[in-house]
Amino acid sequence: MFECCAFALLQVPDASVPGESNIVQLIIDSSFLAQAVLLVLLFFSIGSWAVTAFKFWQFYLVQTQTDTFNEIFRRSSKFSDVHSVCDSLTASPLAGIFQAGYLEINSQLYQPDTSDQTRTGSVLQSFDSLDRALLRAANVEINRLERHIPLLATTASISPFIGLFGTVWGIINAFQSIGASGSSNLAVVAPGIAEALVATAAGLFAAIPAVYFYNHFTQKVKVLASTIDDFSLEFLNISERNFSG
């Protein structure tokens, strides 16, 4: 009796044997269309993670240089002093908006004359033009901050459907195997079902991080957009105080 039980235990398959429950081997043995679905999902996943890494680095630079710009802007008494450091703070959207406003102010206060610039006065001719220049610069900076983020939204929305397509295809193969063999044995159905589940898992693996980081970066852009609006209003108020008649 003991010898029979021992012999039966020796016949239990080892789950660690390569090929019996190996996901990689399952993917290799899957159909061409299933492999194409997984390859597309892999490209989407790599693209979304690359965008995520880039945006983390970009927003780190934006935050660091914006803090530096605000410190310089608060302690400076002249626009020219602030303008001199803008070229070294190109990652900050506030630096770009300041440069646009500074250029508009100079274009109104100074007029070109033969070989030099002649000052026409210390009063701005149109604050509406200055406001439009700041608004245009703000739109440019916000578009720069939003660049590549739509790829995360695309990955989040389309990856589950691509995975679902692979799932449906795997189930179709499973039913075809049942029809061809005339048997619903688990050994016949399992490969197609496993192929389907791998496609589903791959779609979710690509989509879930993309959804999270899309919301994360969208919120950061909203906060920075509010900061940009506040700075534009502050710049306009300072200009009205110093350059109005």
Side-chain angles (χ1 to χ4, degrees):
M1 179 70 175
F2 177 77
E3 292 179 355
C4 291
C5 292
F7 179 76
L9 290 173
L10 291 174
Q11 299 303 311
V12 175
D14 185 2
S16 64
V17 174
E20 291 194 5
S21 59
N22 195 325
I23 300 266
V24 176
Q25 189 62 41
L26 179 63
I27 294 174
I28 293 174
D29 295 337
S30 61
S31 64
F32 172 77
L33 185 58
Q35 291 178 349
V37 167
L38 294 176
L39 186 61
V40 170
L41 291 174
L42 178 63
F43 283 145
F44 271 109
S45 182
I46 292 174
S48 65
W49 281 107
V51 168
T52 298
F54 171 74
K55 298 307 288 187
F56 267 116
W57 174 246
Q58 181 187 25
F59 282 117
Y60 169 77
L61 292 178
V62 166
Q63 188 62 52
T64 302
Q65 295 192 12
T66 296
D67 291 342
T68 303
F69 176 85
N70 277 326
E71 182 181 353
I72 296 172
F73 183 77
R74 297 286 182 268
R75 71 166 185 251
S76 298
S77 58
K78 296 180 180 178
F79 278 174
S80 57
D81 295 337
V82 181
H83 183 261
S84 63
V85 301
C86 285
D87 289 338
S88 62
L89 301 173
T90 55
S92 173
L94 302 189
I97 293 170
F98 177 86
Q99 286 180 311
Y102 185 79
L103 181 63
E104 178 64 24
I105 289 175
N106 278 344
S107 67
Q108 293 192 37
L109 294 181
Y110 294 89
Q111 295 295 335
D113 182 24
T114 59
S115 61
D116 200 355
Q117 285 187 325
T118 303
R119 183 167 181 142
T120 59
S122 59
V123 178
L124 290 180
Q125 301 173 11
S126 173
F127 284 100
D128 289 337
S129 297
L130 177 59
D131 190 19
R132 288 192 295 269
L134 294 174
L135 181 60
R136 186 168 54 250
N139 290 333
V140 170
E141 294 298 329
I142 291 174
N143 288 336
R144 182 169 65 92
L145 293 173
E146 291 178 338
R147 192 173 301 158
H148 305 308
I149 292 181
L151 178 61
L152 296 178
T154 301
T155 301
S157 60
I158 201 174
S159 292
F161 291 103
I162 297 176
L164 179 61
F165 174 76
T167 299
V168 172
W169 186 258
I171 293 174
I172 290 173
N173 284 341
F175 279 110
Q176 285 180 337
S177 299
I178 294 174
S181 63
S183 171
S184 59
N185 190 291
L186 186 61
V188 176
V189 181
I193 299 299
E195 179 181 312
L197 293 177
V198 168
T200 303
L204 294 176
F205 179 80
I208 292 174
V211 171
Y212 174 80
F213 289 118
Y214 173 77
N215 292 331
H216 177 75
F217 293 130
T218 300
Q219 181 61 30
K220 278 189 170 293
V221 171
K222 287 181 180 179
V223 172
L224 287 169
S226 178
T227 302
I228 288 171
D229 290 339
D230 292 343
F231 177 78
S232 298
L233 291 175
E234 182 179 3
F235 185 93
L236 191 60
N237 289 337
I238 294 174
S239 300
E240 287 184 350
R241 286 198 300 267
N242 289 278
F243 301 107
S244 60

